[in-house]
């Protein structure tokens, strides 16, 4: 813009050919893994977790498990919401394994992990010649036909793709990108979001018509700070888990250490608790049997590794540059190389 008038335009373009090829290789490998050796044989589900793996005694958490068990009896869409690290995929896998589709495929896809340019082909498949290098490839819906498709971080999905997803949910018909033929699919959809659905609607991250289509069964997973009575149970579960991984024999946690865990605010929820317990194993001697306060991560006590702020680093760089402003060129080069 110059004097209120448009005088030109700038385009920033990026060649994603190599990225497309890498994703094609990933899809081929996944297709080989998920491909049934015989269409008449049942495929083994890739979902590992069951309702018996969900740990907790918090009343709200137990109610959520109860609702999820009821939802597993049908094929209705399920929308799971809750902060990151609360176990949304564990619920999705548990619902799948408790339902009639347990012997069929369970496929999970994080919508935030794939660029929008590639997500359409991954989700709906591609037809040969649709674009440069495109080949005939089944999408997630075709691969999960008869089973369950779990879409995590749905709010990260492009609105255009949300519209196409809505059509598939309504009609059960998939057409590959660049293709002319349509295929009927029978897939149970379970979606998850790490923000409140109402917030996603207000911010325009989620289409309202798609939300109403997916929100048949709504499950909310509370953050760990709202179910602190579960922290001791989860802590002992992770101790048992990491004993096997690290080959150690930790028998428990000291009252003072547990008190620190109980008083922490847990922004990363259960995932952060798991990482905190794993961190203690790296700080302990092999002969230790109890997790003590000294073994806990430093951030529990407000001790963080301090790094200089960008402004401070700039000031330090300026001071260092000032010290080499005079002298011979060879001396300046040596001093610059040291920096």
């Amino acid at each position: 813009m110059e004097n209120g008038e448009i005088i030109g335009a700038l385009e920033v373009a990026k060649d994603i050919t190599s990225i497309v090829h890498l994703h094609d290789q990933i899809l081929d490998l996944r297709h080989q893994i998920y491909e049934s050796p015989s269409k008449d044989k049942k495929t083994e589900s890739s979902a590992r977790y069951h309702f018996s793996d969900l740990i907790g005694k918090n009343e709200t958490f137990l109610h959520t498990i109860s609702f999820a068990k009821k939802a597993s009896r049908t094929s209705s869409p399920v929308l799971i919401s809750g902060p990151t690290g609360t176990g949304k995929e564990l619920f999705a896998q548990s619902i799948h394994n408790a339902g009639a589709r347990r012997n069929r495929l369970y496929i999970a896809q994080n919508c935030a992990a794939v660029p929008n340019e590639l997500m359409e082909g991954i989700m709906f498949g591609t037809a040969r010649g649709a674009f440069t290098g495109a080949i005939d490839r089944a999408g997630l819906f075709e691969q999960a036909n008869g089973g369950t498709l779990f879409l995590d971080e749905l709010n990260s999905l492009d609105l255009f793709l949300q519209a196409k997803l809505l059509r598939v949910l309504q009609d059960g018909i998939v057409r590959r990108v660049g293709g002319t033929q349509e295929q009927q699919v029978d897939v149970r959809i379970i979606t998850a979001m790490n923000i409140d659905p109402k917030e996603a609607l207000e911010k325009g991250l989620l289409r309202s018509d798609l939300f109403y289509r997916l929100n048949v069964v709504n499950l909310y997973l509370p953050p760990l700070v709202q179910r602190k009575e579960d922290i001791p149970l989860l802590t002992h579960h992770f101790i048992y888990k990491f004993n096997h991984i690290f080959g150690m024999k930790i028998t428990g946690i000291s009252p003072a250490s547990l008190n620190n865990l109980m008083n922490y605010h847990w922004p990363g929820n259960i995932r952060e608790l798991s990482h905190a317990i794993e961190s203690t194993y790296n700080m302990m001697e092999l002969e230790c049997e109890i997790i003590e306060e000294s073994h806990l991560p430093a951030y529990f006590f407000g001790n963080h590794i301090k790094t200089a702020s960008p402004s401070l680093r700039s000031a330090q760089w300026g001071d260092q540059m000032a010290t080499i402003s005079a002298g011979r060129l060879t001396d300046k080069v040596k001093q610059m190389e040291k920096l």
Side-chain angles (χ1 to χ4, degrees), residues 91-165:
F91 267 82
Q93 292 189 18
S94 299
I95 293 172
H96 171 81
N97 283 328
R101 299 171 184 260
R102 66 177 67 89
N103 293 320
R104 306 295 294 179
L105 282 178
Y106 168 90
I107 300 179
Q109 175 65 55
N110 189 322
C111 297
V114 180
N116 290 327
E117 297 84 358
L118 305 177
M119 191 62 186
E120 183 178 8
I122 291 175
M123 184 174 293
F124 305 109
T126 57
R128 183 180 301 275
F131 50 85
T132 304
I135 61 176
D136 289 322
R137 178 181 288 111
L140 296 178
F141 279 94
E142 292 184 57
Q143 294 178 37
N145 191 17
T148 302
L149 176 60
F150 174 61
L151 299 177
D152 197 9
E153 297 195 45
L154 180 69
N155 49 290
S156 299
L157 190 64
D158 184 79
L159 294 177
F160 166 74
L161 295 181
Q162 290 186 28
K164 295 197 66 173
L165 174 60

Side-chain angles (χ1 to χ4, degrees), residues 62-210:
L62 293 178
H63 278 309
T64 304
I65 293 179
S66 177
F67 294 150
K69 287 180 177 179
K70 294 177 182 178
S72 66
R73 300 177 303 192
T74 70
S75 294
S76 299
V78 178
L79 174 60
I80 307 173
S81 61
T84 181
T86 51
K88 293 185 287 294
E89 184 164 2
L90 270 66
F91 267 82
Q93 292 189 18
S94 299
I95 293 172
H96 171 81
N97 283 328
R101 299 171 184 260
R102 66 177 67 89
N103 293 320
R104 306 295 294 179
L105 282 178
Y106 168 90
I107 300 179
Q109 175 65 55
N110 189 322
C111 297
V114 180
N116 290 327
E117 297 84 358
L118 305 177
M119 191 62 186
E120 183 178 8
I122 291 175
M123 184 174 293
F124 305 109
T126 57
R128 183 180 301 275
F131 50 85
T132 304
I135 61 176
D136 289 322
R137 178 181 288 111
L140 296 178
F141 279 94
E142 292 184 57
Q143 294 178 37
N145 191 17
T148 302
L149 176 60
F150 174 61
L151 299 177
D152 197 9
E153 297 195 45
L154 180 69
N155 49 290
S156 299
L157 190 64
D158 184 79
L159 294 177
F160 166 74
L161 295 181
Q162 290 186 28
K164 295 197 66 173
L165 174 60
L166 177 64
R167 182 179 182 275
V168 175
L169 295 177
Q170 291 176 338
D171 304 332
I173 296 176
V174 174
R175 178 189 294 176
R176 296 183 182 183
V177 176
T180 57
Q181 296 182 348
E182 295 182 335
Q183 179 176 339
Q184 190 78 32
V185 293
D186 174 25
V187 179
R188 180 174 197 175
I189 296 293
I190 302 179
T191 54
M193 301 174 60
N194 55 17
I195 64 174
D196 190 308
K198 293 183 179 179
E199 181 182 351
L201 290 171
E202 293 173 353
K203 293 183 177 180
L205 301 176
L206 181 66
R207 290 176 59 104
S208 59
D209 48 4
L210 178 62

